[in-house]
Amino acid sequence: PAYYEKAIEIAQKGVEVEPFGPAVRVQLASAALSIGQVDLAIEHLEMATGLDPNFVQAFNTLGDAYRIAGRTADAREAYEYVLQRSPGDAVATAGIAALESTAATAP
């Protein structure tokens, strides 16, 4: 956890330096997800995807964050967005499979 908290702190400084840089926001979000700060991750991922609509890693990570947050429709939309741009993307395909698996096992 201390490593991820330090990574978030450094990434936040990076965002201050380059507020329109999507990559640093994705890295911040990845660290935040690792320690359960899902809302912080979603905030930065939504900004990153808005800054660069072709940054599939940002959309995949956003899909993961939405899935963790229980926002399944939003997660599916993010993964499908990736698959439209990068057919066969392994992360998006796995994300959709995880959503379907969860839906199949829900009461």
Side-chain angles (χ1 to χ4, degrees), residues 15 18-30 40-62 81:
V15 168
E18 184 53 59
F20 302 109
V24 70
R25 290 180 182 277
V26 172
Q27 295 306 313
L28 189 158
S30 294
L40 178 64
I42 289 172
E43 172 189 341
H44 285 278
L45 291 164
E46 287 176 342
M47 177 67 83
T49 57
L51 291 169
D52 185 352
N54 295 311
F55 193 177
V56 295
Q57 180 187 359
F59 281 93
N60 274 329
T61 308
L62 181 58
Y81 184 89

Side-chain angles (χ1 to χ4, degrees), residues 6-27:
K6 185 68 173 175
I8 291 169
E9 179 184 325
I10 292 168
Q12 286 173 327
K13 290 177 183 175
V15 168
E16 289 175 15
V17 171
E18 184 53 59
F20 302 109
V24 70
R25 290 180 182 277
V26 172
Q27 295 306 313

Side-chain angles (χ1 to χ4, degrees), residues 26-99:
V26 172
Q27 295 306 313
L28 189 158
S30 294
L33 283 174
S34 295
I35 57 174
Q37 293 185 15
V38 180
D39 291 338
L40 178 64
I42 289 172
E43 172 189 341
H44 285 278
L45 291 164
E46 287 176 342
M47 177 67 83
T49 57
L51 291 169
D52 185 352
N54 295 311
F55 193 177
V56 295
Q57 180 187 359
F59 281 93
N60 274 329
T61 308
L62 181 58
D64 292 343
Y66 283 151
R67 185 171 43 84
I68 291 166
R71 295 172 57 179
T72 56
D74 291 330
R76 180 175 298 280
E77 184 178 330
Y79 294 135
E80 288 176 352
Y81 184 89
V82 171
L83 291 173
Q84 289 172 358
R85 280 142 188 79
S86 182
D89 182 276
V91 174
T93 301
I96 288 176
L99 289 172

